[in-house]
Amino acid sequence: MSADALDVCRRRGLAETFLGTVDDLPESARFDTFLLLGRNLGLLESRERAPRLLGTLARLARPGARIVGTGMDPYLLDGAQHAEYLATNRRQGRMSGQMRLRLRHRLLVTDWFDYLFASLPELEALAEGTGWELAEAERRGPDYGVVLTLA
């Protein structure tokens, strides 16, 4: 989120805002709900990063907290090009749906980062040992929505 977006939120009545990543939040911060919409379960990044991020969210969560998010199952995409991408990732020791990308807008470019499309069973496996459990899932084609609850 940008500083300008946070300014809009404050003008619309949001009392508290924060600009940064979950890793930058103070130890005292606590949340009831984390929203990872727009396929942003992809922010779990990788097999290595996902447990760390989910663990951080668990540390920041109040009892009974939840993650509401959307993702995409890469195994349900059509076409040989998708199948080859998944196979190449597996040969390189990466998760099948792990992407390496960066974003551009005009002259602005982000650093390269990983973004993860995972099946629901993979998401459940990534959550093991983090305190989060898959409570609800709804699928529409390759896309899905989930609710993870803090165990």
Side-chain angles (χ1 to χ4, degrees), residues 6 15-16 24 26 30 36 44 52 54-55 57 59 62 69 73-74 82 90 97 103 106 118 124 131 133 138-139 144:
L6 291 178
E16 292 184 50
D24 300 327
R30 292 293 176 266
L36 296 174
L44 295 175
R52 289 195 312 270
L54 291 170
L57 294 180
R59 177 183 55 79
R62 289 189 179 108
D73 186 330
H82 291 296
R90 288 191 298 275
L103 304 176
R106 297 184 181 150
E124 284 186 283
E133 293 178 349
E138 184 176 323
R139 180 186 302 279
Y144 58 80

Side-chain angles (χ1 to χ4, degrees), residues 8-143:
V8 170
C9 291
R10 283 188 292 275
R11 284 187 278 135
R12 292 186 177 176
L14 189 61
E16 292 184 50
T17 62
F18 175 80
L19 181 60
T21 70
V22 294
D23 296 318
D24 300 327
L25 284 164
E27 289 288 324
S28 61
R30 292 293 176 266
F31 299 89
D32 296 314
T33 304
F34 302 94
L35 293 177
L36 296 174
L37 303 177
R39 293 184 178 167
N40 272 330
L41 286 170
L43 295 172
L44 295 175
E45 294 183 17
S46 67
R47 183 180 292 112
E48 296 76 27
R49 172 72 174 140
R52 289 195 312 270
L53 178 57
L54 291 170
T56 297
L57 294 180
R59 177 183 55 79
L60 295 168
R62 289 189 179 108
R66 62 190 174 179
I67 297 171
V68 178
T70 59
M72 185 182 70
D73 186 330
Y75 305 102
L76 298 180
L77 297 173
D78 290 332
Q81 185 178 18
H82 291 296
E84 180 54 33
Y85 190 91
L86 303 181
T88 298
N89 272 344
R90 288 191 298 275
R91 284 192 299 272
Q92 294 174 352
R94 296 164 56 87
M95 290 185 72
S96 295
Q98 193 171 337
M99 298 174 49
R100 186 88 177 134
L101 54 99
R102 64 182 179 173
L103 304 176
R104 291 181 178 269
H105 177 72
R106 297 184 181 150
L107 298 177
L108 299 174
V109 181
T110 68
D111 292 333
W112 288 96
F113 62 95
D114 283 327
Y115 200 80
L116 182 62
F117 293 128
S119 67
L120 287 170
E122 287 173 329
L123 178 62
E124 284 186 283
L126 292 169
E128 283 181 25
T130 67
W132 296 101
E133 293 178 349
L134 183 62
E136 297 177 46
E138 184 176 323
R139 180 186 302 279
R140 287 214 171 106
D143 293 306

